[in-house]
Amino acid sequence: MPVSVVLEPLLSALRTAPQVLLLAPTGAGKSTWLPLQLLQQANLPGKILLLEPRRLAAKNVAFRLAQQLGETPGQTVGYRMRAESKTSAATRLEVVTEGILTRMVQADPELTGVSLVILDEFHERSLQADLALALLLDVQNALRDDLKLLIMSATLDNVRLAPLLPDAPVIISEGRSFPVERHYLSLASHERLDDGVARIVSRLMSEHDGSMLLFLPGVGEITRVHNLLAGKVANDVDLCPLYGALTLEQQQKAIQPAVAGRRKIVLATNIAETSLTIEGIRLVVDSGLERSAQFDPRSGLTRLITQRISQASMTQRAGRAGRLEPGLCWHLFAKEQAERASAQAEAEILQSDLSSFWLELLQWGCQDAAQLAWLDAPPAPALTAAKTLLYSLGATDKQGKLTPAGQRMGKLGCDPRLAAMLIAADAQGADALATAALLAAMLEEPPRGGIPDIDYWLSRPQGNWQRRATQLAQRVSGKKGHVDAFLAPWLLASAFSDRIAQRRGADGRYLLANGLGASLPQDDALTRAAWLVAPQLLQGNNSPDARILLAVTLDASQLAGRLPQIVKEQTAVEWDEEKGTLRAWRRWQVGRLVLKAHPLAKPDDGELQQALIDWIRNQGLQALSWSVAAEQLRLRLTCAAKWLPEAGWPAMDDQDLLDGLEQWLLPSLGGVRSLKALQQVDLHDALSRLLDWNQRQRLDNALPTHYCVPTGSRLPIRYHADQPPVLSVRMQEMFGEERSPMLAEGRVAVVLELLSPAQRPLQITADLAAFWQGTYRDVQKEMKGRYPKHPWPDNPAIALPTRRTKKYQ
């Protein structure tokens, strides 16, 4: 194996350094040969953990390693992944998937009995790999200075890794590959991707010898291109799909060499870029596309984006053609597009739902992500969304700390929503737990049959679901019960209350409790249901509505009785446009959805006022009648926060004012029963409640509403959010004033809008002294002729101010 050349320096580095970086191209043997050599030659007292980012790769790597020892997995080499494991007391090398490694570290932070952890394919930058690295570095620093860490990658980003691991030796294996001719071939602009790919692939297979690896963005494209090729390729060509959801036998058919005398086309997602060795390939066709999951913290939903791959991925894909002999690669896009592509793919941590991630950190005892070392810091909006969800599920308290329920959730090793559902079900009995466990298994690995009805799938459970359900139920409490489909809607609604959906129209469209839209195909039988719970949604790319992938019908009339904790009872207010008065309603709601409502003839004053506050909060501040005085007070406070920040002024932006309506506006709403009465509320007085006595005094002194000019006139100052304050005044009234007035305790100059005797602007200046000494001469010359009855002295800075003509001076 090519990596054998660097075995000795690698062993030496592991003896002296806690972390080692290995850069080795795909096919160098770093996954399927090196771990055995380390096991045999590194003289490690404990076992080795080999982390693989994908389950498909983990199982195949374990089989390849065991095969070299003449064994089957479960002996010297074992593997562990979700719902499946093969290990024994004799196992010294465990191939594990990422979530499993995280659970092992959480359960035993010292990783007792483990000497070396290998992070394979680290360049893929999965969320769990970043988390694993952060936790393992923390373990090394605090608990296990003897634990070794080997980070292996096909394209290590040393510029990023060096600051994080400054003392880690870097071992580079050149690998061994044959030259690959790379060609760029754009599809016709009018052609669908599937049709164009099938046309080109069938032509290339007829023109060239050997087997082909075809990269497509997703399972849908694989299926469609497979069907198109079935009637076009030669009889000696086998079509072999390759993606994570296939059975092991189907995967092996794609991975193993073609049968003697036959060729194959492997239709794969980006799973075949680096994680797997596919035998016998000398032709590669690269669509240049991949499917990427992008989490939206605002909606809480994930959108699948089909996007261009990075330059690193293009290189990886092309390299697959040169493993055994000189090869050919066709990129189905222009070379200019390749040159414009990003150098590396974006890390998952920057675009993922971080709720599970944050639960792991809390379980680790970490209240601030900055306490751990990251290649890319988790984004604040996604962390905020994660914290909000965990609190709503009861996993954390108001201080953000784990509750007893949250501690149990963290130990289950599944999505927080599913963990919350399992714990809630456990309290209801064995049948509820069995049902919740099967639902959780189904949502972890959703069915691909295109049927969204959860009841349909509950009656046809797949073997992998049943194994996983048994495992989850055992982790929760070990109760053994029977699946009861009747319980499914209530179990799902407890964990996915924001995804309860109410039908709106007859075209398969629904409104979710979180206010978003969702839809089903119009001909789907589920569209007859007035209410659904839709735990699995996918945000559409070209539609405002999310696509409902899995759902179950719900009897909304029973929600308040069965799940009172998610039903909010409140008084709501709306305007009667004809009468111009307020009408009050008692409503029972789940999020934005109204379960039932009835009018209140004589609502309680407190309830009515709070309902009015809620209505204003929903309508926005524009629902109120803002006087000039109120607007100016708000602007003065906005300016004070910028010019006198040390005083701790109340925030005046829309969101803060809406959030604080109870504090400043509610006391002014007594007796308000009509729109007219609401518009008469004095917002100036209301806003003043946000200031204490000292702040009021300082505001009036530092940012007064009016300025007294030399003639004694008291003129209003106009404040602006993003401009200096302005004073409009007749020029003659500023005679005798040597310089511009200053506000904010001498920090800000007032802009003077100097007016003619007819109140028309003559000059705008923030530097009165400079104006008197400069351009005033031009103004004087022109104004003497136009307004001869008014004084225009040669030295206005020392002249007497006046509001009168010369005659009355």
Side-chain angles (χ1 to χ4, degrees):
M1 285 289 178
V3 76
S4 63
V5 177
V6 299
L7 179 59
E8 284 305 320
L10 178 59
L11 289 170
S12 176
L14 284 171
R15 282 191 289 269
T16 59
Q19 305 106 20
V20 179
L21 307 178
L22 172 61
L23 174 59
T26 302
K30 62 181 183 297
S31 306
T32 55
W33 181 83
L34 181 62
L36 290 179
Q37 307 309 309
L38 297 177
L39 189 65
Q40 294 162 1
Q41 301 184 46
N43 296 318
L44 299 170
K47 67 171 59 173
I48 296 174
L49 299 181
L50 171 59
L51 176 72
E52 289 292 338
R54 304 169 189 266
R55 284 186 293 163
L56 173 58
K59 184 177 285 190
N60 278 284
V61 165
F63 271 86
R64 290 283 293 275
L65 291 169
Q67 189 179 45
Q68 293 173 61
L69 297 174
E71 299 177 354
T72 56
Q75 296 172 275
T76 305
V77 178
Y79 66 82
R80 276 201 259 181
M81 59 189 67
R82 188 171 64 198
E84 187 178 358
S85 67
K86 287 190 182 297
T87 61
S88 68
T91 301
R92 296 179 56 218
L93 170 58
E94 277 191 41
V95 185
V96 299
T97 49
E98 293 169 329
I100 298 296
L101 176 61
T102 304
R103 286 200 67 230
M104 294 172 74
V105 177
Q106 292 279 21
D108 177 13
E110 294 188 9
L111 282 177
T112 307
V114 175
S115 293
L116 170 64
V117 180
I118 305 173
L119 305 183
D120 195 13
E121 308 294 359
F122 192 76
H123 61 270
E124 293 191 8
R125 294 295 311 282
S126 68
L127 173 62
Q128 282 291 330
D130 276 14
L131 175 60
L133 178 59
L135 296 183
L136 289 168
L137 291 175
D138 204 33
V139 169
Q140 285 184 320
N141 289 332
L143 301 171
R144 286 281 310 277
D145 57 5
D146 63 320
L147 181 67
K148 302 294 183 179
L149 182 58
L150 173 59
I151 301 172
M152 305 197 303
S153 173
T155 55
L156 274 178
D157 189 350
N158 283 339
V159 174
R160 307 288 305 286
L161 279 167
L164 190 66
L165 306 171
D167 301 322
V170 180
I171 309 297
I172 299 176
S173 168
E174 297 298 336
R176 181 179 66 222
S177 62
F178 293 89
V180 175
E181 287 185 33
R182 295 174 68 174
H183 304 278
Y184 296 88
L185 182 63
S186 298
L187 299 176
S189 58
H190 65 277
E191 208 169 22
R192 291 179 64 239
L193 173 69
D194 307 334
D195 295 328
V197 169
R199 174 180 58 80
I200 290 173
V201 165
S202 60
R203 192 193 82 204
L204 294 175
M205 285 297 288
S206 67
E207 296 174 353
H208 300 275
D209 297 328
S211 291
M212 175 184 289
L213 175 56
L214 166 61
F215 285 99
L216 291 165
V219 176
E221 289 84 356
I222 287 175
T223 302
R224 292 192 293 272
V225 173
H226 183 286
N227 293 337
L228 289 169
L229 288 174
K232 291 185 178 181
V233 295
N235 293 331
D236 67 337
V237 176
D238 296 322
L239 299 176
C240 305
L242 180 60
Y243 49 88
L246 295 173
T247 65
L248 181 60
E249 292 73 25
Q250 291 170 314
Q251 294 167 6
Q252 289 297 328
K253 181 182 176 183
I255 294 168
Q256 297 300 327
V259 177
R262 298 190 64 79
R263 300 188 295 160
K264 66 178 180 179
I265 300 174
V266 178
L267 301 90
T269 61
N270 57 5
I271 194 173
E273 276 181 25
T274 57
S275 298
L276 295 167
T277 297
I278 302 175
E279 302 292 348
I281 299 297
R282 68 173 296 267
L283 308 174
V284 167
V285 173
D286 169 24
S287 69
L289 301 171
E290 65 181 355
R291 198 87 79 231
S292 174
Q294 307 275 343
F295 177 70
D296 182 354
R298 293 170 298 178
S299 68
L301 299 181
T302 295
R303 184 191 306 270
L304 280 182
I305 303 291
T306 301
Q307 63 185 18
R308 286 282 171 200
I309 59 174
S310 67
Q311 293 182 22
S313 289
M314 294 175 197
T315 302
Q316 291 291 331
R317 293 183 177 189
R320 286 302 193 171
R323 294 288 305 282
L324 301 175
E325 57 184 305
L328 295 165
C329 173
W330 292 269
H331 299 288
L332 303 186
F333 45 89
K335 189 174 183 180
E336 292 76 15
Q337 287 180 301
E339 292 168 347
R340 291 196 301 267
S342 60
Q344 300 281 344
E346 189 173 54
E348 267 190 15
I349 198 171
L350 301 177
Q351 55 195 27
S352 295
D353 178 357
L354 297 184
S355 54
S356 293
F357 169 90
W358 186 244
L359 184 59
E360 294 285 1
L361 291 193
L362 292 177
Q363 192 182 358
W364 190 247
C366 180
Q367 293 284 331
D368 181 356
Q371 293 174 263
L372 298 178
W374 307 100
L375 276 176
D376 290 286
L383 277 180
T384 299
K387 293 173 184 178
T388 301
L389 176 62
L390 292 184
Y391 177 69
S392 72
L393 294 173
T396 58
D397 58 22
K398 290 183 178 180
Q399 286 72 45
K401 297 181 179 179
L402 280 181
T403 61
Q407 292 170 356
R408 287 185 69 192
M409 289 167 60
K411 294 176 181 177
L412 294 182
C414 59
D415 179 88
R417 288 183 187 263
L418 303 182
M421 178 177 68
L422 288 164
I423 290 172
D426 185 45
Q428 300 174 40
D431 287 354
L433 179 58
T435 308
L438 184 58
L439 288 168
M442 182 190 305
L443 292 172
E444 285 180 339
E445 293 188 61
R448 294 184 176 274
I451 299 172
D453 191 347
I454 288 174
D455 280 337
Y456 172 88
W457 295 107
L458 282 176
S459 63
R460 298 164 177 80
Q462 299 174 3
N464 57 320
W465 295 345
Q466 292 174 320
R467 289 191 297 272
R468 176 62 169 165
T470 300
Q471 182 187 65
L472 289 172
Q474 184 62 39
R475 283 185 191 169
V476 176
S477 67
K479 294 175 184 174
K480 295 183 178 180
H482 300 285
V483 173
D484 183 352
F486 177 76
L487 298 173
W490 313 113
L491 293 169
L492 291 169
S494 69
F496 296 90
S497 62
D498 57 325
R499 299 183 189 179
I500 293 173
Q502 183 181 23
R503 188 175 57 196
R504 50 174 181 177
D507 56 355
R509 300 183 71 221
Y510 285 79
L511 178 65
L512 300 172
N514 61 14
L516 299 175
S519 64
L520 284 164
Q522 293 186 32
D523 58 351
D524 193 281
L526 273 181
T527 59
R528 293 195 291 270
W531 291 81
L532 299 171
V533 187
Q536 194 189 20
L537 297 159
L538 185 64
Q539 185 63 59
N541 293 325
N542 301 315
S543 168
D545 287 349
R547 187 155 52 99
I548 297 175
L549 302 180
L550 284 176
V552 66
T553 59
L554 179 75
D555 181 357
S557 66
Q558 297 187 46
L559 262 177
R562 286 185 171 272
L563 296 171
Q565 70 274 18
I566 70 170
V567 177
K568 183 179 179 182
E569 182 181 349
Q570 62 181 17
T571 300
V573 169
E574 62 187 33
W575 295 110
D576 185 322
E577 296 293 342
E578 294 182 4
K579 298 180 180 178
T581 58
L582 287 168
R583 297 176 61 203
W585 295 79
R586 175 76 72 191
R587 286 180 177 156
W588 288 260
Q589 293 184 214
V590 176
R592 299 279 294 275
L593 305 178
V594 178
L595 299 173
K596 62 176 180 177
H598 61 76
L600 295 178
K602 294 183 178 179
D604 174 83
D605 279 349
E607 286 185 334
L608 187 59
Q609 289 169 17
Q610 185 57 52
L612 187 54
I613 287 288
D614 293 339
W615 180 84
I616 294 168
R617 191 167 278 141
N618 185 55
Q619 296 293 313
L621 293 176
Q622 66 273 11
L624 300 172
S625 180
W626 290 85
S627 65
V628 172
E631 283 279 12
Q632 282 294 299
L633 174 58
R634 185 180 176 188
L635 287 167
R636 287 164 67 207
L637 287 168
T638 299
C639 294
K642 289 189 293 185
W643 302 335
L644 304 168
E646 69 279 2
W649 306 99
M652 287 291 112
D653 59 279
D654 280 15
Q655 192 57 56
D656 277 295
L657 287 178
L658 288 171
D659 289 343
L661 285 172
E662 285 83 358
Q663 181 183 356
W664 65 274
L665 184 62
L666 185 61
S668 297
L669 297 181
V672 173
R673 290 288 191 279
S674 66
L675 181 58
K676 182 178 180 181
L678 179 62
Q679 291 173 340
Q680 291 173 348
V681 170
D682 189 334
L683 297 184
H684 180 277
D685 283 354
L687 278 182
S688 298
R689 293 191 181 96
L690 294 172
L691 302 172
D692 59 32
W693 188 86
N694 289 330
Q695 287 176 317
R696 293 186 193 187
Q697 293 301 307
R698 188 171 184 184
L699 183 69
D700 288 342
N701 289 329
L703 280 78
T705 59
H706 291 73
Y707 180 77
C708 192
V709 297
T711 59
S713 297
R714 187 169 175 270
L715 303 177
I717 302 171
R718 302 196 306 275
Y719 290 87
H720 304 274
D722 51 2
Q723 297 176 13
V726 177
L727 175 69
S728 294
V729 55
R730 282 183 294 185
M731 189 176 293
Q732 279 79 11
E733 294 200 63
M734 293 302 293
F735 291 165
E737 195 85 334
E738 295 184 4
R739 59 186 60 86
S740 295
M742 301 295 291
L743 299 181
E745 299 170 359
R747 303 180 197 183
V748 177
V750 175
V751 171
L752 293 171
E753 187 180 54
L754 299 172
L755 307 177
S756 71
Q759 305 279 12
R760 295 195 179 99
L762 291 178
Q763 184 72 25
I764 295 176
T765 180
D767 188 347
L768 186 61
F771 170 66
W772 288 151
Q773 295 170 12
T775 54
Y776 169 75
R777 304 301 171 199
D778 297 330
V779 173
Q780 178 193 36
K781 188 182 301 182
E782 181 182 350
M783 290 299 104
K784 272 186 173 181
R786 184 175 298 180
Y787 299 102
K789 297 181 180 180
H790 291 77
W792 302 100
D794 291 335
N795 193 351
I798 60 173
L800 290 175
T802 181
R803 288 183 292 225
R804 299 167 174 255
T805 60
K806 294 176 182 178
K807 178 179 178 181
Y808 296 99
Q809 289 189 39

